[in-house]
Amino acid sequence: MASSSARILSACISSAHEKDHPMRSSMFQSPKRKFQRARRKKLILKCSYGVGVDSASNLSSCLDFEPCDKYYNFKVMYDSLAFFGSKTMSRTGRRMHMNGVVHSGKAIAMPVQNAEEVTTNKKLLTKQRRVVVTGLGVVTPLGHDPDVFYNSLLEGISGISKIETFDCAQFPTVVFLLQQRIAGEIKSFLTDGWVSPKIAKRADKFMLYLITAGKKALADSGVTEEVNRNLDKSRCGVIIGSALGGMKVFNDGIEALRISYKKMNPFCIPFSTTNMGSAMLAMDLGWMGPNYSISTACATSNFCMLNAAYHISRGETDLMLCGGSEAAIIPIGLGGFLACKALSQRNSEPTKASCPWDINRDGFVIGEGAGVLLLEELEHAKRRGGKIYAEFLGGSFTCDAYHMTEPHPDGTGVALCIEKALAQSGVNREDVNYINAYATSTPTGDLKEYRALIRCFGNNPELIRVNSTKSMIGHLLGASGAVEAVATIKAIQTGSIHPNINLENPDESVDMNVLVGPKNEKLDIKVALSNSFGFGGHNSSVLFAPYKS
């Protein structure tokens, strides 16, 4: 339809253009040119809804009248281009300017003016669309229910233990040589009632965690099967990502290929790609809105949440499931992180291995699981009687543009990300009094983030309180941001923030008046900030606050 509209528009413009250039008469035209001109006349007849095109007056009418409905398909394209700061669109290698400068005539100028007015109105409307959190779902080393998970955090229970999924000693690799035997591993996990038996048998764990956490978030929000049937599915979407995707399925495929490609699982490729978890969940629910995954290493979840909130605030959707999922506790996953010297080697003391800001920290402990939030437009949530945990204020992301795995020495990208998050969300820095830090328990990363936090909030009249959920569950990679967002939201709801365990010998560069100690604390949270950063220099910050009508 858009192609047809373009031809109609092109015919109208070209006809007017030829009228102004008498040298373009039929005597100078080739047979092919004459055929094209005759074809344009037919198209103009369609555009003019029966108005003749032989006379100058009729041609003028065609150009002066508001274009036919088909033409307004371009308005959608124009709005999309306007979002990217462009008023030019490329079509078959040629540029068509939408500001009425290249071609004369009202056929272009009028629709553009209307499109700009619509865009302006939409921008005004989006400011009034507030985004709230109405559902939480988790699969973690500390439990698969948000309340169980957070109560364990408040009690300072560690979910890090020796790996049981496979025998590390059986692998004559770097895993065995360095005796990496600990992780934030999920010991028991059932898909019954959440994932179909067929998918549960074939899919990678990251997909099973994702689908389960997503459906639990819906159940938590009161979106039952009956409620789901009555939703406008075109306004419901899923954006749940993963840093590494289906590593086990892909690794098994490689092993099978050593024998023959015929031995490979036919689902090897689709079940290993990072987008397929979101896709399978959407298929299960029948949700037809935006559906994709974002992969920005360990910042994945925050990127997914920010994009989901964006679709709601723009008025494109009403409900969005968003977050992240990861299942990388397999030999190749452990070996890969060991090779880049990122993991802790404190195998003899699993529960003490993850110790952000402690002088003895020696790397992060890998974890697995999923976290999913249901974000919803405020008025939509009110109409269906949904419970509101907190308000999603917004956030931002930046890139260090410095190094693949190391953060910028000065924490410049982190500080810039936080500043942008505050500015774009309209939050005063003085209102932020709780931060769930990224803090992975690496010697350099912890301090660089800490310095950035002090740089941004050090002059606040009220002391900020900072903790790290990773001290108890390890680093869940692409799922970490969403799981930590759940912890942040539960802190807002309960008025209690969890402790930093294993912070026995604080690094001399940190202030224990800022960091939470070994016991949970009561705190009336005004605005909470949650950070996530990833390999590649990806920085992300999201902001939550208690919902106030």
Side-chain angles (χ1 to χ4, degrees):
M1 184 173 289
S3 177
S4 175
S5 302
R7 290 197 301 270
I8 294 170
L9 177 64
S10 177
C12 292
I13 293 170
S14 180
S15 181
H17 191 57
E18 288 181 6
K19 187 178 182 297
D20 294 334
H21 294 75
M23 291 296 292
R24 296 178 181 267
S25 62
S26 58
M27 64 181 291
F28 292 100
Q29 295 175 7
S30 65
K32 181 179 179 181
R33 180 68 178 171
K34 290 179 180 179
F35 171 77
Q36 290 174 339
R37 188 179 182 193
R39 188 165 177 264
R40 277 197 300 274
K41 286 184 178 181
K42 292 180 180 179
L43 290 172
I44 292 170
L45 286 173
K46 292 182 181 179
C47 178
S48 58
Y49 286 96
V51 178
V53 296
D54 291 334
S55 66
S57 60
N58 284 336
L59 178 58
S60 176
S61 297
C62 178
L63 291 173
D64 285 342
F65 275 104
E66 189 170 320
C68 55
D69 292 340
K70 291 182 180 179
Y71 173 67
Y72 278 92
N73 287 327
F74 281 86
K75 192 164 62 177
V76 176
M77 296 173 65
Y78 176 80
D79 288 345
S80 299
L81 289 163
F83 165 65
F84 291 102
S86 171
K87 288 191 177 181
T88 305
M89 74 177 169
S90 174
R91 186 169 179 272
T92 61
R94 292 163 51 185
R95 302 181 71 181
M96 179 183 294
H97 291 256
M98 299 299 289
N99 56 12
V101 174
V102 174
H103 295 291
S104 61
K106 298 179 183 179
I108 289 183
M110 289 174 62
V112 171
Q113 183 178 0
N114 291 339
E116 287 174 346
E117 288 172 359
V118 169
T119 303
T120 302
N121 291 337
K122 282 182 179 178
K123 286 180 179 177
L124 291 174
L125 288 173
T126 56
K127 292 180 181 179
Q128 300 171 10
R129 286 179 64 86
R130 296 165 65 183
V131 181
V132 293
V133 182
T134 57
L136 303 173
V138 293
V139 174
T140 78
L142 288 178
H144 313 324
D145 175 86
D147 291 332
V148 172
F149 163 65
Y150 196 65
N151 287 336
S152 296
L153 291 177
L154 290 177
E155 293 173 19
I157 298 173
S158 176
I160 297 170
S161 59
K162 290 187 178 181
I163 296 171
E164 297 178 3
T165 305
F166 59 92
D167 184 358
C168 297
Q170 295 301 312
F171 293 87
T173 63
V174 69
V175 178
F176 171 66
L177 294 174
L178 295 180
Q179 298 185 355
Q180 181 63 37
R181 300 170 182 271
I182 60 174
E185 184 181 45
I186 293 172
K187 303 301 184 185
S188 61
F189 172 70
L190 298 175
T191 60
D192 298 353
W194 304 108
V195 185
S196 69
K198 184 182 293 186
I199 298 299
K201 183 179 179 181
R202 295 172 173 173
D204 191 273
K205 278 186 178 180
F206 102 94
M207 285 181 60
L208 304 183
Y209 294 160
L210 183 158
I211 294 171
T212 301
K215 289 188 176 179
K216 286 188 173 184
L218 284 181
D220 181 55
S221 72
V223 178
T224 61
E225 288 187 15
E226 182 179 355
V227 172
N228 187 46
R229 280 196 294 270
N230 294 320
L231 292 174
D232 181 351
K233 304 290 198 309
S234 68
R235 296 185 61 81
C236 303
V238 184
I239 307 177
I240 306 174
S242 176
L244 299 173
M247 290 190 72
K248 179 67 164 58
V249 167
F250 195 74
N251 186 72
D252 290 347
I254 293 173
E255 293 301 317
L257 184 59
R258 297 179 189 277
I259 302 172
S260 168
Y261 76 90
K262 294 181 180 180
K263 298 290 185 181
M264 292 178 69
N265 179 349
F267 297 95
C268 172
I269 294 299
F271 281 178
S272 62
T273 56
T274 60
N275 72 297
M276 197 54 66
S278 282
M280 294 299 290
L281 180 55
M283 291 176 203
D284 210 342
L285 300 173
W287 286 16
M288 301 174 67
N291 183 278
Y292 53 94
S293 70
I294 297 172
S295 185
T296 48
C298 304
T300 290
S301 287
N302 279 8
F303 275 68
C304 290
M305 288 187 284
L306 283 164
N307 277 266
Y310 179 76
H311 287 296
I312 295 173
S313 66
R314 273 179 60 91
E316 298 168 357
T317 59
D318 297 320
L319 295 95
M320 294 292 297
L321 284 168
C322 55
S325 182
E326 209 74 75
I329 303 177
I330 59 174
I332 191 172
L334 290 170
F337 282 111
L338 276 167
C340 60
K341 300 179 180 179
L343 298 183
S344 170
Q345 297 298 297
R346 298 180 69 174
N347 296 287
S348 60
E349 300 178 292
T351 60
K352 292 189 175 183
S354 184
C355 48
W357 300 297
D358 190 85
I359 195 68
N360 295 315
R361 65 196 184 281
D362 67 333
F364 72 80
V365 178
I366 193 171
E368 64 179 347
V372 177
L373 281 65
L374 179 66
L375 299 186
E376 191 167 356
E377 193 272 323
L378 175 59
E379 298 304 321
H380 188 277
K382 285 182 177 180
R383 285 194 298 272
R384 72 172 185 87
K387 60 181 176 182
I388 299 175
Y389 281 106
E391 182 166 3
F392 185 89
L393 300 180
S396 189
F397 25 69
T398 61
C399 178
D400 278 351
Y402 172 74
H403 190 272
M404 279 194 297
T405 59
E406 292 291 325
H408 193 282
D410 299 328
T412 307
V414 174
L416 177 62
C417 184
I418 294 171
E419 295 287 352
K420 288 181 66 177
L422 295 172
Q424 293 176 8
S425 303
V427 173
N428 295 321
R429 71 183 68 248
E430 294 80 9
D431 291 332
V432 177
N433 63 340
Y434 169 59
I435 297 169
N436 188 299
Y438 179 62
T440 61
S441 187
T442 57
T444 57
D446 291 358
L447 289 184
K448 288 170 184 175
E449 180 187 13
Y450 176 83
R451 292 183 188 124
L453 295 177
I454 296 302
R455 176 177 167 182
C456 293
F457 304 106
N459 294 324
N460 280 15
E462 179 183 348
L463 276 176
I464 56 171
R465 308 302 290 149
V466 181
N467 62 9
S468 172
T469 306
K470 294 182 181 72
S471 66
M472 286 173 271
I473 62 172
H475 190 2
L476 274 59
L477 309 177
S480 62
V483 172
E484 289 158 20
V486 170
T488 302
I489 292 163
K490 293 300 289 183
I492 292 173
Q493 182 195 26
T494 62
S496 296
I497 55 177
H498 69 70
N500 286 307
I501 69 168
N502 304 325
L503 187 50
E504 299 169 357
N505 300 295
D507 192 291
E508 60 182 12
S509 300
V510 302
D511 182 355
M512 284 306 297
N513 290 319
V514 172
L515 300 179
V516 181
K519 296 183 178 180
N520 65 63
E521 300 178 7
K522 288 291 182 181
L523 182 65
D524 181 16
I525 298 174
K526 297 178 181 177
V527 176
L529 172 75
S530 181
N531 285 333
S532 284
F533 316 125
F535 281 1
H538 302 294
N539 306 307
S540 62
S541 298
V542 291
L543 294 156
F544 299 94
Y547 165 66
K548 296 179 182 178
S549 57

